[in-house]
Amino acid sequence: MRTRWIVVAVVVAAAAGAVVAFWPGDAAAVDPEIAVSRSACGTGWTDPKPGPQTFRLHNTGSVTAEVDLIDPATGVLYGEVEGLGAATTRPLQVNLGNGSYAFRCLPEDAGAIVGPAVRITGGAERTGPGVAPVTHDDLLGPLKAYQQHVSTGLGELVANTDALKNTVHGGDRAASQAAWLTAHLAYERLGAAYDAFGDSDGALNGTADGLPGGSADPGFTGFHRLEQGLWHGEDLGALAAVADQLDTDARALQTSFADSQVDGNDLGLRAHEIMENTLQFELTGRTDYGSGTNLATARANLDGTRAVLDVLRPLLTPRYPDLSKVDSWLDRTQKALDAAHRPDGTWIRPAELSLQQRQKLNADVSELTELLAPIAAIAEPRRVS
């Protein structure tokens, strides 16, 4: 079961990725119990009042249900509980301003039921827009646009892995290292599609973590295996087979992706997770197998985040008041990462950053990650009928 609070008066960006508000309960008050079933919804709200309050949602039916608190005229969400099991009771905490409200119940395998509308007066005006639900139909356009973006990116990836393969076969280590970085960054810009890539992601971009033989394990393949060889003096003739396999795997992914599709739930989620992974793996240098290009990867991850936001922007603009802050922090983080790119084309390693540089970069990426967190909840496709 998940409970999500859509905030009316106060917006709090929670670390878990939802938009959540918490208020202390009033021990003297009796929280109203709201009945939920296939045949009835929202009964029990007999004393509507403004301000912070808690509803006890009681599923009297025999199937799991989702329960939304909405403006019945617009469908805008002000609170939500998912996965309310049969014969269970869960709390819903809200802070209500003046306006009309109703509970909408969506039982499994049944249509939506909207309960009686109530009108609240005597409180503060609603200072936030709530969240207009995003439906699966709303996501069709963004998903189509992102699918095309990834398809184009995979074409670029295959061209780059082919050039990398040929360069390794040609025996030029410096040129092979440059070609490796170009190809790797092309892959890293496709961050929101990794789930759709299935096992191909591990083959192309997996690390040696968890492999019995570590970095010497035969199952260690892809970009990082080739990176290890190119930057640790392995014979280029021996590495040719690694480059060949990388190119083969990239082409296989391009072919398989044509018959797959990015999940609508992934778009908003990945907007946050791409930068969360950047904090965990790239700014720490955990995925460095010799090239020292983690900050270049972080910069490519930022491009991948922008690509997700670009397709979601028409949905986010009327729903997320802090979207302009996201854009500002994207620009700020990009500037900080670009500063790590030396004039000669090389990149500063994370370990080479000064304490001040490291603190600033970590702070910028952390703040951006926090601002991106609510997008997963806002862009999650919901039932409305």
Side-chain angles (χ1 to χ4, degrees):
M1 185 280 296
R2 283 189 296 170
T3 302
R4 188 178 294 114
W5 294 272
I6 309 298
V7 182
V8 178
V10 181
V11 175
V12 180
V19 181
V20 183
F22 296 97
W23 295 274
D26 182 350
V30 177
D31 298 333
E33 182 172 288
I34 307 300
V36 175
S37 72
R38 286 188 177 190
S39 58
C41 179
T43 59
W45 193 2
T46 58
D47 183 26
K49 59 184 180 182
Q53 54 201 282
T54 300
F55 296 104
R56 291 182 298 118
L57 305 180
H58 179 55
N59 187 346
T60 62
S62 59
V63 298
T64 300
E66 178 181 322
V67 185
D68 303 331
L69 181 63
I70 65 171
D71 181 326
T74 64
V76 167
L77 255 64
Y78 293 102
E80 177 183 23
V81 170
E82 295 181 335
L84 180 62
T88 60
T89 301
R90 296 288 184 267
L92 173 63
Q93 294 174 303
V94 291
N95 189 13
L96 302 181
N98 295 336
S100 294
Y101 301 89
F103 284 98
R104 177 175 60 203
C105 303
L106 299 111
E108 288 184 352
D109 303 321
I113 306 170
V114 178
V118 303
R119 185 159 190 85
I120 291 178
T121 59
E125 294 304 309
R126 293 199 286 224
T127 57
V131 174
V134 171
T135 68
H136 288 280
D137 285 348
D138 292 331
L139 281 170
L140 290 177
L143 280 171
K144 182 178 180 180
Y146 195 74
Q147 196 87 5
Q148 181 57 54
H149 166 77
V150 174
S151 295
T152 301
L154 288 174
E156 179 184 349
L157 172 67
V158 166
N160 289 331
T161 57
D162 182 65
L164 171 58
K165 174 188 68 176
N166 292 334
T167 305
V168 172
H169 278 275
D172 186 330
R173 187 175 300 273
S176 296
Q177 290 173 341
W180 177 90
L181 182 58
T182 298
H184 187 234
L185 297 185
Y187 184 79
E188 289 285 349
R189 293 188 183 100
L190 305 176
Y194 290 163
D195 273 6
F197 292 168
D199 293 341
S200 292
D201 181 47
L204 284 164
N205 207 37
T207 68
D209 291 350
L211 296 177
S215 59
D217 195 281
F220 182 32
T221 64
F223 279 111
H224 293 302
R225 172 63 185 92
L226 189 56
E227 175 188 9
Q228 176 180 270
L230 288 174
W231 272 269
H232 287 93
E234 289 188 40
D235 180 70
L236 290 182
L239 287 176
V242 179
D244 290 346
Q245 185 62 52
L246 175 64
D247 184 53
T248 297
D249 289 340
R251 292 177 187 277
L253 173 59
Q254 183 184 38
T255 299
S256 65
F257 185 75
D259 297 321
S260 62
Q261 184 162 342
V262 177
D263 191 323
N265 288 290
D266 284 350
L267 277 182
L269 185 63
R270 295 296 177 265
H272 168 252
E273 286 189 347
I274 292 171
M275 296 313 299
E276 189 174 54
N277 288 342
T278 299
L279 272 173
Q280 183 179 0
F281 297 108
E282 306 309 334
L283 299 194
T284 61
R286 284 178 57 184
T287 55
D288 182 14
Y289 283 84
S291 68
T293 57
N294 285 102
L295 297 185
T297 300
R299 179 65 175 81
N301 293 162
L302 197 70
D303 288 340
T305 300
R306 286 188 187 275
V308 177
L309 291 177
D310 284 347
V311 299
L312 287 176
R313 191 170 295 275
L315 300 180
L316 294 175
T317 298
R319 291 174 171 87
Y320 189 26
D322 281 341
L323 188 58
S324 61
K325 289 184 181 179
V326 172
D327 291 332
S328 295
W329 281 91
L330 278 167
D331 292 341
R332 176 172 173 155
T333 304
Q334 178 175 327
K335 184 177 180 180
L337 287 168
D338 285 345
H341 195 192
R342 298 186 180 99
D344 65 359
T346 62
W347 287 80
I348 297 174
R349 296 172 183 266
E352 295 172 339
L353 294 170
S354 68
L355 177 61
Q356 183 179 12
Q357 288 174 316
R358 180 183 293 276
Q359 289 176 335
K360 181 182 184 306
L361 186 55
N362 285 343
D364 287 350
V365 176
S366 295
E367 181 64 21
L368 175 59
T369 303
E370 288 297 310
L371 286 167
L372 290 166
I375 292 175
I378 294 169
E380 179 185 347
R382 292 175 168 87
R383 283 181 61 195
V384 295
S385 61

